[in-house]
Amino acid sequence: MSDAKKELKRLYNSIKDSNAHCEYFSDSIDFAKIIEQFPETEKHNCPDGVVAIGNVAYMLEHFEVSPYREGNQDLLKRALNTPVDKMLSKNPNGEKVPLNPSVDNLCCALSSSTKKHMEHYNDYLRGAEEIIQKEKAFVKEYKFIFVIEEEENTVIEGENFTVLDILECTEMLLAYEQIDGVIAYHHGRAENRLIALDRKNLVERSKTAKRKHQCKLLMYHLACNIIPDLAQEGNRPLDDFLKIFDDFGVSDSIQVEKKD
């Protein structure tokens, strides 16, 4: 079985192992029961999972988004997968991975993945119907749910702010009438968080969402993501750590406002 088909089981284990904070907003979809079935969905190929509850079959499709994604490549993953010695090399010809995280990148990643997956909606529906027929389950209705994983330990504005609090993101999801609900899982610095909303509640959330130009992306994750990996290589001087940040072009600043 390919790793790609284990993603919902992996996500379920992350939710449980991290004791993630979960919030469910729906009058019609039992998200908690759906998530409990994640480990049983790994045998499915198209869509990623099908869960039958009562007389409703829920089609689940998972994808990841990141503020480091440019095109089809996640630049932070590429940097973390680069050998430590190569990252610390003083050779000017050595590979340096420029990191340009932004809210725009996050929105573009969501838009691109959403569009790509919705082009295959009819394939998901046919696949789900075949699975239900094989399982001989009695189903009257099919509903489609996106499972969106924010995989980098970034923060937008505050600890509880997710991709679903960006107006442009909620609007692009609501533009597809076939989407009945969304499960968003965020790998946070302090804790992992999961929020699940049906379409009605996603509409309500969009009313208080901020436009992307109002959102500020914080990059506190760098120290906890990169330095622990290096620590496993043995104790290295502080200059080496600083060299990494210099190679990546990461900067920090503080602004002081004088008050009378």
Side-chain angles (χ1 to χ4, degrees):
M1 182 184 302
S2 68
D3 290 340
K5 294 298 103 185
K6 297 179 181 179
E7 49 197 74
L8 288 176
K9 183 176 181 179
R10 172 189 59 76
L11 188 60
Y12 175 84
N13 289 336
S14 176
I15 294 168
K16 294 301 180 181
D17 292 345
S18 67
N19 194 28
H21 178 81
C22 300
E23 296 180 272
Y24 309 111
F25 299 91
S26 176
D27 299 324
S28 59
I29 300 176
D30 191 340
F31 283 109
K33 187 174 290 188
I34 290 172
I35 292 168
E36 286 297 324
Q37 295 298 313
F38 275 10
E40 308 303 320
T41 62
E42 61 182 274
K43 61 185 177 181
H44 305 316
N45 292 317
C46 182
D48 291 329
V50 177
V51 173
I53 299 178
N55 57 10
V56 179
Y58 296 95
M59 302 178 287
L60 309 173
E61 191 63 21
H62 167 273
F63 62 83
E64 299 174 338
V65 295
S66 166
Y68 291 91
R69 183 168 138 186
E70 293 185 6
N72 294 321
Q73 188 173 49
D74 186 315
L75 298 180
L76 181 58
K77 279 188 175 181
R78 179 182 167 196
L80 292 173
N81 289 332
T82 301
V84 172
D85 290 342
K86 193 170 187 178
M87 287 179 11
L88 297 177
S89 172
K90 299 184 183 300
N91 182 351
N93 296 322
E95 180 183 16
K96 296 180 181 179
V97 182
L99 297 181
N100 299 300
S102 71
V103 175
D104 278 338
N105 284 357
L106 187 63
C107 293
C108 287
L110 180 65
S111 177
S112 175
S113 292
T114 299
K115 182 177 183 294
K116 174 184 174 183
H117 284 81
M118 292 310 298
E119 289 173 351
H120 295 282
Y121 174 81
N122 290 333
D123 296 328
Y124 301 148
L125 185 56
R126 283 192 294 269
E129 289 172 343
E130 290 176 3
I131 291 167
I132 292 299
Q133 288 174 3
K134 288 179 181 178
E135 296 180 353
K136 297 181 179 179
F138 178 71
V139 167
K140 289 184 178 180
E141 184 180 8
Y142 289 82
K143 292 189 175 183
F144 185 70
I145 297 175
F146 266 137
V147 183
I148 302 170
E149 186 173 1
E150 295 181 60
E151 55 183 348
E152 314 300 357
N153 294 321
T154 50
V155 178
I156 304 173
E157 293 293 337
E159 290 291 341
N160 302 332
F161 203 90
T162 75
V163 68
L164 296 183
D165 292 295
I166 302 173
L167 180 59
E168 287 85 349
C169 292
T170 59
E171 288 179 338
M172 72 178 68
L173 291 167
L174 290 170
Y176 295 95
E177 295 181 357
Q178 302 98 320
I179 299 176
D180 297 289
V182 178
I183 297 172
Y185 184 63
H186 179 81
H187 294 270
R189 293 181 299 118
E191 66 176 348
N192 292 356
R193 300 182 64 87
L194 182 146
I195 181 169
L197 307 96
D198 60 16
R199 190 175 186 87
K200 174 185 174 182
N201 281 276
L202 186 59
V203 170
E204 289 301 310
R205 196 174 188 86
S206 69
K207 294 178 181 178
T208 58
K210 291 185 178 182
R211 293 202 171 274
K212 62 182 180 181
H213 72 267
Q214 297 174 304
C215 302
K216 182 179 180 182
L217 185 71
L218 308 179
M219 299 183 295
Y220 294 135
H221 65 287
L222 282 173
C224 63
N225 268 358
I226 297 177
I227 291 181
D229 290 344
L230 292 179
Q232 295 176 8
E233 298 289 324
N235 295 326
R236 291 179 178 270
L238 180 61
D239 287 347
D240 283 351
F241 293 149
L242 297 179
K243 176 70 165 53
I244 293 172
F245 299 135
D246 181 58
D247 282 354
F248 287 166
V250 176
S251 62
D252 193 32
S253 63
I254 185 168
Q255 186 176 34
V256 179
E257 183 178 344
K258 184 178 180 181
K259 296 185 180 295
D260 294 331

